[in-house]
Amino acid sequence: MKWQGRQRSSNIEDRRGQRAGGGLGGLGGLGGNRGGIRIPSGGRGSRGGISGLIGIVLFLGIVWFATGQNPLDMLTGGSSASAPGSSVSSRQLPAQGEDELADFVAVVVRETEDLWNEQFAALGEDYPEPNVVLFTDSVNSACGLADASMGPFYCPGDSKVYIDLSFYDQLHRQLGAPGDLAQAYVLAHEVGHHVQNLTGVLPEFNQRRQRMSQEEANAYSVRVELQADCYAGVWANYAGQQNLLEDGDIEEALNAAEQIGDDTLQRRMQGFAVPKTFNHGTSEQRKTWFERGYVSGNPGDCDTFSGNV
Ligand SMILES: [Zn+2]
């Protein structure tokens, strides 16, 4: 992607290096913060608080539902991740690399702002731009205290996207999805959730899922997530119109959609897939909807709520 020299968003909150949480200091913070999230024991049936995030985190939320295990432990292959200091030593990117990534994020976010300002203006509406929070290891959000192991997420309570940039290293090395368009796809997907928050899709989802069985809520969540993927595709179309795309970029995004499909992720992490626990969509579905948005460039073609997906 040809992003260098492009304008940057002014809605980036750089909280990297800041400590989150109630007095948990130093390198032991990760273990302590993890206890504060309260997902593992009650995740399956719990309501409210940060459990409300589960349906909208990029993909790792599924691991809580499926196995009750900590996703970070699974991704890193053992419990060593909870040892003090491991959260820091496991970070693969030097600070300089992260600064360039932060610039990249600011550019992509700006391009999403341009796209969605245009789309909302065409409907005679304003587009309140979301803030994007860069954090390290853990962060306080209106949805609760969140850990980097959950992956990037959008919190409707404060209309902010949250990302620990080390996720991009994970995306490349552990999930097999390298490339800057893979990275941009993740951001555009989370911004897609912000758009859904504005259109009412997300509030309706969060209300209706309270009365659903877990299985029904998962199926509903898949439709929400696939629409965000389609919106990410619409963004990729827009990036193409701005001449930002290079050869291989769309393939990078499609590969990312493939690698973070529920079936592929679950097979990688636990050796088998449990379809009724899928809440983001299969690899095939995620690729299909991203591509649909990319080919059409029209968010009106992202209706994932009628008919089969
Ligand atoms: Zn999502």
Side-chain angles (χ1 to χ4, degrees):
M1 183 180 158
K2 293 177 280 190
W3 64 273
Q4 302 274 7
R6 301 284 295 184
Q7 289 201 303
R8 289 156 172 69
S9 169
S10 55
N11 297 314
I12 307 294
E13 281 180 46
D14 194 347
R15 295 193 213 159
R16 288 177 296 162
Q18 293 179 20
R19 288 173 188 170
L24 297 163
L27 301 181
L30 181 61
N33 289 346
R34 201 179 279 160
I37 291 181
R38 299 186 303 273
I39 291 175
S41 55
R44 191 171 287 268
S46 71
R47 297 285 186 242
I50 204 152
S51 62
L53 278 174
I54 286 180
I56 54 171
V57 295
L58 178 66
F59 64 88
L60 289 171
I62 185 63
V63 180
W64 299 105
F65 280 128
T67 67
Q69 289 185 50
N70 184 295
L72 183 62
D73 286 348
M74 301 185 73
L75 283 173
T76 55
S79 59
S80 62
S82 59
S86 64
S87 64
V88 171
S89 61
S90 67
R91 295 177 75 82
Q92 311 258 358
L93 287 166
Q96 198 179 5
E98 281 211 359
D99 281 344
E100 185 172 310
L101 264 185
D103 281 344
F104 170 80
V105 167
V107 167
V108 172
V109 170
R110 174 60 183 260
E111 300 294 340
T112 66
E113 290 163 357
D114 291 347
L115 161 67
W116 290 110
N117 273 307
E118 219 173 80
Q119 294 288 342
F120 276 69
L123 301 170
E125 305 264 354
D126 275 342
Y127 173 64
E129 296 165 354
N131 273 21
V132 175
V133 180
L134 309 181
F135 70 97
T136 307
D137 296 332
S138 62
V139 68
N140 287 308
S141 75
C143 297
L145 182 63
D147 186 298
S149 64
M150 296 170 62
F153 65 93
Y154 173 74
C155 173
D158 54 21
S159 301
K160 293 179 183 181
V161 171
Y162 292 84
I163 182 168
D164 180 325
L165 295 176
S166 68
F167 172 76
Y168 283 146
D169 185 64
Q170 218 173 24
L171 186 66
H172 180 172
R173 290 168 197 267
Q174 289 169 317
L175 300 172
D180 51 12
L181 221 74
Q183 297 169 346
Y185 156 57
V186 169
L187 282 174
H189 171 101
E190 297 304 338
V191 170
H193 284 316
H194 176 65
V195 171
Q196 292 175 317
N197 201 26
L198 299 173
T199 60
V201 162
L202 218 48
E204 190 182 350
F205 168 61
N206 281 322
Q207 194 184 25
R208 287 180 53 195
R209 72 202 292 249
Q210 310 290 326
R211 298 187 298 272
M212 292 179 171
S213 70
Q214 190 61 60
E215 212 170 321
E216 288 168 336
N218 285 344
Y220 192 175
S221 170
V222 165
R223 292 178 186 272
V224 172
E225 294 295 337
L226 293 175
Q227 186 175 59
D229 281 340
C230 187
Y231 287 165
V234 170
W235 174 82
N237 175 292
Y238 178 81
Q241 290 177 47
Q242 312 303 309
N243 292 316
L244 303 183
L245 299 186
E246 300 173 298
D247 283 352
D249 274 348
I250 292 305
E251 288 73 14
E252 286 172 0
L254 287 170
N255 175 58
E258 161 103 34
Q259 300 302 338
I260 62 179
D262 286 325
D263 50 341
T264 302
L265 264 188
Q266 287 190 10
R267 276 193 205 98
R268 177 182 291 117
M269 291 183 184
Q270 63 196 23
F272 57 93
V274 185
K276 69 179 180 184
T277 66
F278 292 175
N279 58 11
H280 281 68
T282 63
S283 296
E284 205 51 50
Q285 287 174 316
R286 300 198 73 165
K287 282 193 295 187
T288 296
W289 283 97
F290 175 89
E291 196 157 31
R292 187 168 302 187
Y294 172 64
V295 169
S296 122
N298 176 5
D301 290 331
C302 295
D303 178 10
T304 54
F305 295 96
S306 29
N308 293 325
V309 291

